[in-house]
Amino acid sequence: ALGMTVVPKSSISSSKEVAYHTLLDESRDKLRSKATRSLARSAKKSEKEYASAYEDLVGVFGGPSTRWEKLWDQEANANYWYHRDFATTLWEEPALCHSCDTPIDNFDVKCFNCQTDRSKFNRRYYNGPSILPELPDEELSDDSGSESEDDVDQRAEEEDDDQEEDDEDDEDAN
């Protein structure tokens, strides 16, 4: 005589359903967590790209409150910059302070008027004797096409996340 216990079919179905829903919930939680991390990385990347694009636009066209306009003189066949309020004309592109809209002298490290450091864009006009300090959390564009440290860090973080998920999947399979 075998000592078997007969389990009602409804109890087995119920256990399977509980196991199914448990696995389903765990899977959803993992996917939700992965999506949240991915969205956070994407948002951070988008914010950096927006800040960079804004800085580039401000460098080329001035800030929202700039009073300088880049105009064309047909007789001179050249661009010039005109200040609407003071009727000032400059024939060389000025390095404008992105904070106070004042031209920064080519030998000044900072804006003389408000003591703001030069922006990424107007650093190219600097001709002073000292080396400009590094920009915080940014590198000057070198157009080399190489990855920035942030890109390398982000890619490594994504690979770590993928590896953790693979490890979790392996553990679940065992």
Side-chain angles (χ1 to χ4, degrees), residues 12-111:
I12 293 174
S13 296
S14 175
S15 296
K16 282 184 175 180
E17 192 159 323
V18 168
Y20 169 78
H21 285 291
T22 301
L23 290 173
L24 187 62
D25 289 344
E26 287 176 2
S27 178
R28 283 183 184 147
D29 289 343
K30 285 179 186 179
L31 290 172
R32 187 175 293 119
S33 176
K34 181 178 179 178
T36 301
R37 286 191 308 267
S38 178
L39 286 171
R41 281 192 302 269
S42 294
K44 185 177 178 181
K45 183 179 177 184
S46 292
E47 287 171 5
K48 284 182 180 183
E49 288 172 351
Y50 173 81
S52 178
Y54 178 81
E55 188 172 278
D56 290 344
L57 285 172
V58 167
V60 174
F61 299 106
S65 62
T66 190
R67 306 306 292 160
W68 290 92
E69 290 184 63
K70 182 178 178 179
L71 302 171
W72 179 259
D73 184 314
Q74 282 192 295
E75 289 180 24
N77 200 28
N79 288 317
Y80 67 98
W81 287 260
Y82 177 77
H83 194 282
R84 293 184 294 230
D85 295 342
F86 301 118
T88 305
T89 301
L90 298 174
W91 287 94
E92 291 184 16
E93 184 173 8
L96 296 175
C97 176
H98 57 280
S99 293
C100 70
D101 206 36
T102 303
I104 302 173
D105 186 272
N106 289 347
F107 290 98
D108 288 338
V109 174
K110 297 181 176 190
C111 173

